[in-house]
Amino acid sequence: MSDQNTDTDTGTGTGTTRTHTASASAAAESAETFWDERYNQSGRLWSGEPNAALVRETEGLTPGSALDLGCGEGGDAIWLARQGWRVTATDISRVALGRAAEHADQAQVADRVDWQHHDLGASFPSGSYDLVSAQFLHSLHEMPREEILRNAAAGVARGGTLLIVGHMGFPAWETEPHPGVDFPTPQKVLASLDLPAGQWDVLVCDTHEHSLTAPGGGPSTRTNYTVKLRRRT
């Protein structure tokens, strides 16, 4: 995983495969342990603010049911709940989920968020949703990302929105980038969804620059992409 796998606040739903073999279980346990340990290194890993692309791309949408994949400490899910959405939020880290639930309680939206533990490569939330958000699902562990995103598309209700946001590469200050991390283009992400013809409208499929602060405190930018689709009624 690109350990800076978010602009502001999102963990990850990492995993391995849907085949429940001993090796797959071990890999999934490794990913979960990795994220639990990372969250335990500090009292708060992310800012608590919603991802900018989520705020921008959900403007004007009528609140309904939402699915947040890789919710981390809950910044996106809590923001959505405050806007009136009923949110199902998932993460592979139980530490992150426990922390997110505390934050939701403090924000007085605990009754609007259902926190669920999932290794998205092995299990996926049931139901259909008016909004499915996948923010920065990148992993240093083996992860069936394309399959996860196809499952995300399948979970979008008719008339609903699928929002996928990701990085186009490591940040400029990364001196030893992990060679195994895949940063697909938005066009590749869209093609990998393998959507049936005539059932979806592509609203956004593009890259954008995001301003952020480098570890040394100076200004920096990072190129991200957004894929936004609406399922036809």
Side-chain angles (χ1 to χ4, degrees), residues 6-11 39 43-52 54-55 68 71-80 82 99-100 103-104 106-107 109 115:
T6 176
D7 289 337
T8 54
D9 185 337
T10 253
Y39 279 106
R44 186 161 208 159
L45 189 58
W46 311 118
S47 72
E49 298 298 321
N51 280 297
L54 175 72
V55 175
D68 181 11
C71 64
E73 293 165 320
D76 284 356
I78 291 169
W79 181 84
L80 286 168
R82 281 174 164 162
R99 199 171 289 176
H103 295 162
Q106 294 166 2
V109 294
W115 306 102

Side-chain angles (χ1 to χ4, degrees), residues 79 133 139 165 177 197:
W79 181 84
S133 174
S139 180
V165 179

Side-chain angles (χ1 to χ4, degrees), residues 51-61 79 85 131 135 161-165 203-206 208 225-230:
N51 280 297
L54 175 72
V55 175
R56 180 178 66 247
E57 299 299 340
T58 57
E59 183 178 2
L61 295 182
W79 181 84
W85 293 84
L131 169 67
Q135 304 278 318
T161 300
L162 174 62
L163 179 62
I164 304 170
V165 179
L203 305 180
V204 181
C205 183
D206 206 354
H208 58 276
Y225 69 81
T226 297
V227 175
K228 180 182 179 182
L229 306 103
R230 179 177 295 125

Side-chain angles (χ1 to χ4, degrees), residues 125-140:
S126 60
S128 60
Y129 303 86
D130 300 306
L131 169 67
V132 177
S133 174
Q135 304 278 318
F136 304 102
L137 290 178
H138 303 291
S139 180
L140 292 177

Side-chain angles (χ1 to χ4, degrees), residues 68-225:
D68 181 11
L69 300 174
C71 64
E73 293 165 320
D76 284 356
I78 291 169
W79 181 84
L80 286 168
R82 281 174 164 162
Q83 311 311 306
W85 293 84
R86 303 180 308 278
V87 187
T88 298
T90 77
D91 203 272
I92 194 171
S93 170
R94 296 183 190 274
V95 174
L97 289 170
R99 199 171 289 176
E102 292 179 2
H103 295 162
D105 187 57
Q106 294 166 2
Q108 299 183 336
V109 294
D111 60 332
R112 301 194 65 83
V113 187
D114 176 20
W115 306 102
Q116 296 187 11
H117 177 257
H118 286 278
D119 167 3
L120 293 174
S123 65
F124 201 88
S126 60
S128 60
Y129 303 86
D130 300 306
L131 169 67
V132 177
S133 174
Q135 304 278 318
F136 304 102
L137 290 178
H138 303 291
S139 180
L140 292 177
H141 297 268
E142 183 180 353
M143 178 180 70
R145 187 171 184 274
E146 293 183 355
E147 180 183 355
I148 290 170
L149 293 180
R150 284 193 288 268
N151 287 336
V156 177
R158 292 188 179 278
T161 300
L162 174 62
L163 179 62
I164 304 170
V165 179
H167 294 310
M168 291 292 293
F170 284 99
W173 61 79
E174 180 61 69
T175 58
E176 297 181 1
H178 194 285
V181 179
D182 179 34
F183 293 107
T185 65
Q187 293 77 19
K188 183 178 178 181
V189 171
L190 180 60
S192 71
L193 292 173
D194 195 24
L195 300 172
Q199 295 186 21
W200 292 81
D201 294 316
V202 180
L203 305 180
V204 181
C205 183
D206 206 354
T207 61
H208 58 276
E209 293 297 312
H210 176 74
S211 299
L212 69 165
T213 302
S220 186
T221 60
R222 191 170 186 180
T223 304
N224 297 330
Y225 69 81

